Amino acid sequence: MDFGVVLQTNPPAARTVQLAALAEAHGFSHVWTFDSHLLWEEPYVIHSAILAQTKRVIVGPFVTNPATRDWTVTASVFATLNEMYGNRTICGIGRGDSAVRVTNGTPTTMKELRESIHVIRELANSRAVEYKGATLQFPWSRGSTLDVWVAAYGPMALALTGQVGDGFILQLADLDIAEWMIRTVKDAAAAAGRDPDALAICVAAPMYIGDDIAHMREQCRWFGGMVGNHVADIVAKYGHHGAVPDALTDYIEGRTGYDYNSHGRSGNDHVDFVPDEIVDRFCILGTADEHIEKLRRLKDLGVTQFAGYLQHDNKEETLRVYGETVIPALSAHITAKS
């Protein structure tokens, strides 16, 4: 299992770069950042600085969308970063949440998402693509490589992920929901004639190492509110029962709204509807042993990467314990002599 860290691009940008370098030092393979250009600083500029200050980690947005930038611009960013830093980028993409809603927009259609994945991936892999009636290719790009992982919750998005994604991003660590969604994505891949085991499966959730469960819950309760945005869309489209497990949809019944000014931040004052049970199920909280136990169960479900959100007050210690204890426990052990 690989390990990633998910950062917000809050100012100062140097702090984000510092945490990214620390994550690499502790053995994390991926550094992801939010992409919401009004709420936080522009991620791709900071990605360049992260890549310049690190040697190994793969860097990308978690997640971008097809609405806020022309798809060829997005592809050009990745191809340029790869030329500069040696194929160390990755693209997480979804229909759009905060980046489009804050500007009074709406998430893109599945058709647009599917088309954007194709255009971005082809161009960023130094290949030609048909776009708006023309054949386009970056004449300056040689040997660039980019995987595109799709963030999804609802049935249509899960099916699309299996059909065209290089990987699946599930933003919650509930074991029962993860099992259902991973199976749904892999079934869609198989139905499309693809190898379901070739897809990367990334589960993302807040990770907090500590022993004060009440404090950890309050620091991470924001996550249930963020997930609730996507769940509310599913419920609006499909109703409360049947489309996805009730374990995902039932908890938002007390949801009265959402303030994007507090999006992704600990201490939100509008996520009281998220019960402790949901925080415990969706996040990974507690001692190193408790993290290892849940991560092993996720690995058994086919998860190939855990990406931990660090939007709390214990960032450095959590990274340290992961590097010294958690990551080694989930890694293959090789002996010098046998």
Side-chain angles (χ1 to χ4, degrees):
M1 178 185 281
D2 290 332
F3 289 84
V5 62
V6 186
L7 306 173
Q8 284 178 344
T9 54
N10 295 307
R15 170 65 167 156
T16 306
V17 176
Q18 177 191 47
L19 288 169
L22 186 60
E24 179 179 74
H26 283 305
F28 287 80
S29 61
H30 289 67
V31 172
W32 305 90
T33 72
F34 286 53
D35 177 11
S36 196
H37 57 289
L38 283 174
L39 298 180
W40 304 290
E41 294 181 317
E42 170 59 32
Y44 292 121
V45 177
I46 297 174
H47 290 175
S48 185
I50 291 172
L51 289 163
Q53 294 296 317
T54 57
K55 297 179 179 179
R56 177 183 51 80
V57 287
I58 296 169
V59 179
F62 208 86
V63 297
T64 194
N65 68 85
T68 53
R69 298 176 182 86
D70 184 273
W71 307 340
T72 63
V73 173
T74 299
S76 181
V77 169
F78 288 114
T80 301
L81 290 174
N82 283 341
E83 188 278 324
M84 294 173 68
Y85 302 108
N87 287 335
R88 289 171 53 205
T89 65
I90 190 167
C91 179
I93 194 168
R95 293 175 59 215
D97 181 29
S98 61
V100 295
R101 296 185 199 268
V102 170
T103 55
N104 293 326
T106 57
T108 60
T109 66
M110 290 297 169
K111 181 175 182 293
E112 290 170 320
L113 178 58
R114 182 186 297 270
E115 291 173 350
S116 72
I117 291 168
H118 176 67
V119 170
I120 292 168
R121 181 164 50 203
E122 293 306 294
L123 287 174
N125 279 278
S126 301
R127 297 191 290 260
V129 71
E130 295 298 313
Y131 181 65
K132 295 184 178 180
T135 301
L136 304 180
Q137 187 170 2
F138 299 136
W140 44 265
S141 179
R142 298 286 189 277
S144 176
T145 62
L146 180 77
D147 281 351
V148 181
W149 293 7
V150 186
Y153 291 106
M156 293 176 65
L158 293 170
L160 180 149
T161 301
Q163 293 160 4
V164 303
D166 297 308
F168 168 42
I169 294 173
L170 172 58
Q171 295 174 82
L172 55 80
D174 179 271
L175 293 164
D176 293 335
I177 296 172
E179 181 178 18
W180 183 87
M181 290 196 173
I182 291 168
R183 183 174 65 250
T184 300
V185 168
K186 290 194 170 188
D187 286 348
R194 308 179 73 202
D195 178 3
D197 293 330
L199 270 70
I201 306 293
C202 176
V203 160
M207 57 177 181
Y208 195 124
I209 295 286
D211 53 19
D212 184 343
I213 187 62
H215 179 74
M216 290 186 288
R217 284 170 175 160
E218 289 311 309
Q219 285 285 300
C220 298
R221 199 175 302 275
W222 65 267
F223 185 66
M226 185 187 81
V227 173
N229 295 330
H230 303 285
V231 175
D233 287 343
I234 295 170
V235 170
K237 184 176 181 65
Y238 298 101
H240 270 283
H241 305 289
V244 296
D246 289 351
L248 179 59
T249 59
D250 283 352
Y251 85 97
I252 70 161
E253 290 184 1
R255 181 179 183 270
T256 58
Y258 191 79
D259 181 2
Y260 276 95
N261 289 306
S262 300
H263 185 62
R265 302 183 188 279
S266 63
N268 280 11
D269 57 3
H270 59 284
V271 292
D272 291 344
F273 71 93
V274 181
D276 289 349
E277 177 195 2
I278 288 293
V279 180
D280 294 347
R281 281 169 40 198
F282 284 15
C283 305
I284 303 185
L285 314 176
T287 64
D289 286 342
E290 289 171 318
H291 283 242
I292 291 167
E293 179 185 2
K294 190 166 185 178
L295 288 165
R296 280 180 173 155
R297 295 179 69 183
L298 287 167
K299 185 177 181 181
D300 289 343
L301 295 178
V303 174
T304 59
Q305 181 180 146
F306 171 67
Y309 287 90
L310 270 189
Q311 285 66 57
H312 56 63
D313 60 2
N314 198 32
K315 297 176 179 65
E316 282 86 354
E317 178 65 4
T318 294
L319 289 174
R320 182 191 69 80
V321 176
Y322 260 73
E324 294 181 1
T325 305
V326 178
I327 293 176
L330 275 295
S331 301
H333 293 281
I334 299 173
T335 57
K337 182 178 181 179
S338 59

